[in-house]
Amino acid sequence: MIVVLQKDVTEDAKQRLRAELYQKGCVVREMDSAGQTVIAALGRGDLDPKQVAAMEGVAEVVPMEGKFKLVGRQWHPQDSQVQVGPITIGGQRIALIAGPCAIESLAQALTTAREVKRYGAVIFRGGAFKPRTSPYSFQGLEEEGLKILAQVRRETGMPVVTEITSINQAELMKEYVDMIQVGARNMQNFELLKCVGRLGKPVLLKRGLASTIEEWLMSAEYILAEGNDQVVLCERGIRTYEPYTRNTLDLSAIPVLRKLTHLPVVVDPSHATGLREKVAPMARAAVAAGADGLMVEVHCDPDKALSDGPQSLYPEQFGQLARDIYVIAPVVGKQLDFEYLEKAARPRPSAGAQPAVAAYLGEPGSFSHIATCQYLGGDGLLASRPSFRAIFEAVANGKAQVGVIPLENTLTGSIHENYDLLLEYDLKIVGELYLRIIHHLIAAPGTRLEEIRRVWSSEAAMQQCRAFLDRYPSWELSTVNATTSAVRRLREEPGPGWAAIGSREAAQSHGMALIAEGIETNPRNFTRFVIIGKQSVTDRPKQKSSIVFSTVHRPGALFEVMKIFADNHINLLKLESRPIHGQPWQYMFYADIEADAHAPEFREPLENITRKTDYLKILGSY
Ligand code: PEP
Ligand code: MN
């Protein structure tokens, strides 16, 4: 049962209640839910709810329904996030876990780790105790392997995950690794589950070779019942009658789990398929199906691997896969952040210091707000600003460390005001992010489509939903300055038959319902946001730069600059001109190029460009 405590319950009363439930033989777990303490009392079906309701400090007793208790959504409605060193699994960032099947040597582990890190992995995997089908196969380096993993963490900053195969390894695991994997073969080794439940380290729980989702979740329940709620589920394929792949990847487990549990879900396409060429397609599909991350076997020399070579990717293949995931993730509302590890591994602000502040336009539920949340991934504070200029001001005067501004939309084009502000302020573009813009028709819960008479939204949102709105010519359309103001109006000044167009998040934050989902005319509706700051937060080589320049007024002037790009094999991604204020018919050119403008190779082309232009500014490399 779930025991909701009174808001003003004293600490003493709470402890007495916990002790009493414990004495009655219950497993007792406590959680804070919107400022109120709730206690799960489990394991005693015969406990009388009336008796518990009468205890001191109790506000309400709610029976727990279904088999799943602590892993279930009734106990924990929100998605949970699992912290592995500096990395969070769950939420809006895709976590890439990569590394060899087994640790074979320091050189093999370090070489592979550096490669996968370079391509976007944030957690390193590698087995030290290998559960092999044959006793004559390589069994792993055991403690030596764990030491190598700890060294990889020291040298790369990546937290490490490895498999535990016996409770005897518990102390070693505690000493050397950041996350403990329970392998498919041990999913129902209940003593092992209880052991990792008590270890106080995050757990990656793989699905058993022939286990149902229910059995799998009950295994997770064992870990949570011991007091460890840091559990990530890993789908790794199940045994079916199909011999073309090593196992059959059950992708439908992802949406099934989403409904049943709050725990994050990652997918291991390597053991699921057993074949290198099948790994990337299934990994892409897993992200499209909503996985929070991937665990992929990568080896620096797979042909010589001591285990699972045929399913291990070459590092470059992993790199290509990461690039695909970078593109796919925004379609399902997530991001792959290639700088995540570096950002996460930076020292936290000391106690008492303010965490980083990110300024954005509008209010919670605005697309800028969603983009900022995705960029920060849960770290840092958000500061709303009323205009784009106010965002630039906040960053320039140090009130915010970064600002998040939209620069262009795939359907409606550039946001010119921000181009002009980039020129005016001495700030840098330090990152970018693509957000898919999905619009919904939003109204008070219970409203039916037939009842709608008037729709509020921003001009841009109306334009983007034109085809849908044209189907209802009798609706009165009223524009306001932002989609979030439209949704807020529904709650603050409701009118009969009123609806708004906006994001799912805006609807949620105002307690409104989605009446029609995905009503934008073109689903390829993405906005590119850039992150502005005083300086870049990471040192990694940058792939892209934005520059702005003007040329002298003579034939071929622009061509001469373009020729420098061509001669140096620099790919031009975008070129746009903007009028120069106060100089009629003169233009600034904004260019995005595929190059790191601060790299030594770029010095010479840059000098040449400087000679051919009368103004040049590097807006940033990222
Ligand atoms: C592994 O991850 O190396 C492994 C042995 O996986 P599974 O338990 O899924 O077979
Ligand atoms: Mn393996």
Side-chain angles (χ1 to χ4, degrees):
M1 64 181 66
I2 298 175
V3 186
V4 184
L5 303 196
Q6 289 163 355
K7 278 220 160 84
D8 55 358
V9 66
T10 63
E11 196 51 40
D12 277 357
K14 192 159 87 183
Q15 290 316 330
R16 274 199 298 278
L17 180 73
R18 286 186 59 129
E20 206 168 326
L21 291 168
Y22 183 73
Q23 270 157 21
K24 286 184 191 298
C26 292
V27 170
V28 180
R29 291 286 162 260
E30 187 179 313
M31 185 171 67
D32 189 69
S33 169
Q36 200 155 12
T37 305
V38 286
I39 286 180
L42 302 161
R44 281 281 315 273
D46 56 343
L47 200 63
D48 181 4
K50 284 206 203 79
Q51 203 189 343
V52 179
M55 291 179 183
E56 186 193 349
V58 175
E60 198 190 349
V61 173
V62 184
M64 263 206 190
E65 280 143 23
K67 301 189 178 74
F68 311 123
K69 308 293 182 198
L70 299 172
V71 301
R73 289 259 180 205
Q74 190 192 2
W75 169 242
H76 194 292
Q78 273 84 38
D79 291 345
S80 36
Q81 300 191 332
V82 171
Q83 198 63 34
V84 185
I87 301 300
T88 307
I89 305 181
Q92 291 168 327
R93 276 184 179 139
I94 299 286
L96 294 185
I97 307 171
C101 179
I103 300 297
E104 298 165 6
S105 67
L106 177 62
Q108 171 252 17
L110 261 181
T111 313
T112 310
R114 291 196 176 116
E115 293 275 317
V116 297
K117 176 182 165 177
R118 184 156 75 91
Y119 290 125
V122 290
I123 299 176
F124 184 67
R125 64 146 286 150
F129 295 93
K130 293 303 300 178
R132 302 304 297 277
T133 305
S134 162
Y136 310 117
S137 303
F138 175 59
Q139 302 286 308
L141 297 183
E142 305 184 346
E143 184 170 356
E144 181 55 27
L146 297 181
K147 287 185 178 158
I148 292 174
L149 281 167
Q151 186 160 350
V152 166
R153 182 205 311 110
R154 271 196 305 279
E155 303 215 2
T156 64
M158 276 189 286
V160 295
V161 55
T162 199
E163 179 169 349
I164 186 170
T165 55
S166 152
I167 53 175
N168 301 333
Q169 296 148 9
E171 285 310 309
L172 289 176
M173 295 286 159
K174 225 162 130 176
E175 181 174 347
Y176 292 113
V177 303
D178 304 285
M179 185 181 212
I180 301 172
Q181 175 174 328
V182 174
R185 288 152 197 82
N186 274 312
M187 189 204 82
Q188 284 191 316
N189 180 339
F190 299 109
E191 289 313 311
L192 195 61
L193 296 173
K194 288 186 216 165
C195 165
V196 296
R198 288 188 293 262
L199 269 181
K201 293 245 181 196
V203 177
L204 185 80
L205 178 62
K206 288 203 154 189
R207 180 176 182 177
L209 306 179
S211 298
T212 63
I213 291 176
E214 184 173 316
E215 288 161 345
W216 186 14
L217 281 177
M218 291 314 288
S219 291
E221 190 78 34
Y222 263 90
I223 303 172
L224 271 76
E226 292 296 329
N228 185 355
D229 58 4
Q230 295 288 289
V231 176
V232 175
L233 299 165
C234 178
E235 164 63 43
R236 45 79 72 205
I238 46 176
R239 186 159 289 178
T240 67
Y241 46 80
E242 177 51 65
Y244 270 99
T245 47
R246 182 174 173 181
N247 291 290
T248 297
L249 179 57
D250 180 11
L251 281 180
S252 59
I254 303 169
V256 171
L257 289 167
R258 277 281 173 258
K259 193 149 188 113
L260 296 175
T261 181
H262 52 89
L263 298 174
V265 182
V266 304
V267 168
D268 168 353
S270 308
H271 293 89
T273 60
L275 299 163
R276 185 175 304 138
E277 63 175 26
K278 312 279 189 281
V279 169
M282 297 322 283
R284 294 191 294 254
V287 171
D292 295 298
L294 296 169
M295 171 141 129
V296 184
E297 283 188 347
V298 182
H299 195 291
C300 55
D301 190 358
D303 302 321
K304 301 214 178 77
L306 297 182
S307 66
D308 285 349
Q311 70 190 33
S312 299
L313 297 188
Y314 289 89
E316 311 76 59
Q317 290 178 313
F318 175 69
Q320 192 50 51
L321 171 62
R323 286 166 65 88
D324 290 349
I325 301 299
Y326 175 77
V327 177
I328 294 169
V331 177
V332 289
K334 291 190 159 82
Q335 297 291 333
L336 192 149
D337 182 348
F338 286 112
E339 301 192 327
Y340 182 17
L341 183 67
E342 257 181 293
K343 284 187 205 157
R346 275 187 313 151
R348 303 267 130 183
S350 57
Q354 286 293 318
V357 174
Y360 73 96
L361 182 75
E363 54 184 303
S366 70
F367 291 106
S368 285
H369 180 259
I370 299 169
T372 311
C373 292
Q374 292 196 358
Y375 174 74
L376 290 177
D379 297 332
L381 297 176
L382 275 66
S384 161
R385 285 291 182 277
S387 66
F388 292 133
R389 179 175 290 282
I391 297 175
F392 279 82
E393 274 298 318
V395 180
N397 65 26
K399 292 238 161 60
Q401 280 64 53
V402 291
V404 179
I405 53 162
L407 215 47
E408 57 183 318
N409 175 271
T410 45
L411 303 185
T412 47
S414 293
I415 292 134
H416 290 128
E417 182 184 350
N418 284 329
Y419 273 103
D420 293 343
L421 288 164
L422 280 170
L423 193 61
E424 185 181 330
Y425 282 83
D426 192 23
L427 296 173
K428 295 261 171 288
I429 298 179
V430 298
E432 69 174 347
L433 178 145
Y434 288 83
L435 184 76
R436 183 170 168 203
I437 307 295
I438 304 179
H439 291 299
H440 307 286
L441 188 70
I442 297 166
T447 312
R448 282 175 301 122
L449 195 60
E450 307 79 72
E451 294 165 357
I452 291 168
R453 299 280 168 270
R454 185 169 182 185
V455 178
W456 299 84
S457 201
S458 69
E459 184 64 47
M462 298 267 192
Q463 258 179 41
Q464 292 172 0
C465 300
R466 195 75 261 160
F468 176 82
L469 293 172
D470 282 350
R471 280 194 253 151
Y472 304 95
S474 66
W475 289 358
E476 187 185 337
L477 304 181
S478 308
T479 50
V480 285
N481 65 348
T483 53
T484 39
S485 341
V487 183
R488 182 155 38 78
R489 181 179 289 253
L490 296 183
R491 181 169 56 81
E492 290 177 356
E493 315 157 46
W498 282 13
I501 294 173
S503 70
R504 180 184 296 274
E505 290 76 0
Q508 273 161 2
S509 76
H510 292 287
M512 294 290 141
L514 306 186
I515 307 302
E517 297 188 33
I519 59 167
E520 69 281 7
T521 308
N522 189 335
R524 290 186 178 176
N525 187 6
F526 290 85
T527 295
R528 175 180 171 227
F529 287 84
V530 293
I531 322 304
I532 51 169
K534 283 193 172 151
Q535 65 210 24
S536 178
V537 290
T538 68
D539 296 329
R540 64 160 38 217
K542 309 294 191 281
Q543 290 161 5
K544 193 168 166 181
S545 300
S546 295
I547 61 173
V548 55
F549 60 90
S550 64
T551 58
V552 290
H553 209 44
R554 67 172 156 74
L558 178 61
F559 168 78
E560 284 173 18
V561 178
M562 295 295 107
K563 188 165 184 313
I564 299 169
F565 292 141
D567 290 347
N568 289 280
H569 307 288
I570 293 167
N571 194 23
L572 187 67
L573 299 165
K574 177 177 170 154
L575 181 65
E576 180 155 356
S577 61
R578 292 277 305 137
I580 302 176
H581 293 293
Q583 296 178 44
W585 316 116
Q586 303 240 17
Y587 296 89
M588 281 287 178
F589 295 100
Y590 288 81
D592 287 349
I593 52 174
E594 231 167 12
D596 182 345
H598 301 290
E601 323 68 277
F602 198 72
R603 193 167 305 140
E604 201 186 309
L606 192 64
E607 279 165 12
N608 291 336
I609 296 168
T610 313
R611 246 176 266 134
K612 301 283 180 197
T613 51
D614 52 16
Y615 175 87
L616 174 69
K617 180 177 173 184
I618 297 173
L619 295 175
S621 297
Y622 40 97

